Amino acid sequence: MDGRRPDSATVHAILVHGMGRTPVSMLLLAKRLRAAGITTHLFAYSAAFERWLPCVERLSKFITARVGDQRFIIIGHSLGCVLTRAVLPHLARAPELGVFLAPPTMASSYAIKLAQWRLFRLLTGEMGQLLARQDFMDSLPVPDIPLRVYAGIKGPRGSWMPFGDEPNDGILSVKEVQLGTIPVQLLPTIHTVIMNSRQVASDIVAAVNSRA
């Protein structure tokens, strides 16, 4: 990884974890970014106990309080990317870069299948139900900022598997990660650990340095 420190003032990175995870899942990525001189902030939420709009509002306040008028980027994983898309229009200043790790961009086939189960509804709350609604996913704005999108391709494949022979990360197919015409970078990893890819950290540091 390019370990050069950003050449300008402090750069902040807001990291937003995925559904069913905690900020702990983003610690390795945060550590690698801090080693390159980027200040990291881990946003915590609970899909099971928090409603959608209050969570978006809280994320907006979290970002504003931590970045002030300094440079910042946003990194989301899975549902964290959905939260990021929702919060961007509410920010007084846009981030200079968005990084989406395995973002669901359409109604997730997994969420649709599981939404009928009461246990899934209890564990994922309103947010989990929203991921199964195509009208909700279509309502999210496409970010008008430089964006890097990553998808894993090490999920199981075969005619008997949920995604058939489609490349997938075990939770989402690459097709479910595609956001408009934005290029998707494919990584040899699975959904739950995509944030630990060294390439992701290296790419983020290089992108921040290129904008210094």
Side-chain angles (χ1 to χ4, degrees), residues 85 105-107 133-141:
R85 289 177 64 184
T105 59
M106 61 180 68
R133 286 177 43 190
Q134 189 61 45
D135 61 332
F136 169 76
M137 298 302 294
D138 288 342
S139 72
L140 295 168

Side-chain angles (χ1 to χ4, degrees), residues 19-98:
M19 185 169 65
R21 309 300 299 277
T22 72
V24 172
S25 66
M26 306 292 271
L27 285 179
L28 180 56
L29 175 56
K31 178 181 178 181
R32 289 170 173 164
L33 297 181
R34 288 196 303 272
I38 298 173
T39 300
T40 60
H41 307 277
L42 302 170
F43 179 72
Y45 67 94
S46 170
F49 299 108
E50 202 164 355
R51 295 189 65 82
W52 172 255
L53 287 178
C55 188
V56 173
E57 292 171 4
R58 193 166 61 82
L59 175 57
S60 177
K61 293 176 181 177
F62 178 92
I63 295 170
T64 300
R66 281 154 182 81
V67 306
D69 59 357
Q70 295 183 305
R71 297 173 62 199
F72 76 104
I73 64 175
I74 297 183
I75 304 162
H77 171 233
S78 195
L79 177 58
C81 305
V82 182
L83 283 166
T84 297
R85 289 177 64 184
V87 82
L88 287 176
H90 299 280
L91 301 178
R93 291 191 305 117
E96 62 183 59
L97 175 69

Side-chain angles (χ1 to χ4, degrees), residues 6-195:
D7 298 322
S8 66
T10 300
V11 179
H12 298 266
I14 306 295
L15 289 83
V16 189
H17 63 82
M19 185 169 65
R21 309 300 299 277
T22 72
V24 172
S25 66
M26 306 292 271
L27 285 179
L28 180 56
L29 175 56
K31 178 181 178 181
R32 289 170 173 164
L33 297 181
R34 288 196 303 272
I38 298 173
T39 300
T40 60
H41 307 277
L42 302 170
F43 179 72
Y45 67 94
S46 170
F49 299 108
E50 202 164 355
R51 295 189 65 82
W52 172 255
L53 287 178
C55 188
V56 173
E57 292 171 4
R58 193 166 61 82
L59 175 57
S60 177
K61 293 176 181 177
F62 178 92
I63 295 170
T64 300
R66 281 154 182 81
V67 306
D69 59 357
Q70 295 183 305
R71 297 173 62 199
F72 76 104
I73 64 175
I74 297 183
I75 304 162
H77 171 233
S78 195
L79 177 58
C81 305
V82 182
L83 283 166
T84 297
R85 289 177 64 184
V87 82
L88 287 176
H90 299 280
L91 301 178
R93 291 191 305 117
E96 62 183 59
L97 175 69
V99 179
F100 284 3
L101 307 173
T105 59
M106 61 180 68
S108 163
S109 58
Y110 243 77
I112 292 172
K113 291 175 182 177
L114 294 175
Q116 61 184 306
W117 297 99
R118 185 169 182 270
L119 180 59
F120 177 80
R121 296 195 298 269
L122 288 173
L123 293 176
T124 63
E126 180 190 26
M127 299 189 200
Q129 296 299 295
L130 290 175
L131 290 181
R133 286 177 43 190
Q134 189 61 45
D135 61 332
F136 169 76
M137 298 302 294
D138 288 342
S139 72
L140 295 168
V142 176
D144 187 22
I145 59 173
L147 196 65
R148 302 184 73 97
V149 180
Y150 295 85
I153 55 171
K154 291 293 284 185
R157 297 169 65 178
S159 58
W160 63 93
M161 301 305 296
F163 295 109
D165 287 324
E166 286 188 68
N168 69 90
D169 64 9
I171 299 295
L172 297 171
S173 68
V174 171
K175 180 176 66 177
E176 292 175 316
V177 168
Q178 183 72 54
L179 183 59
T181 59
I182 299 171
V184 176
Q185 300 189 59
L186 306 180
L187 299 176
T189 186
I190 60 174
H191 189 86
T192 53
V193 295
I194 190 171
M195 73 292 290

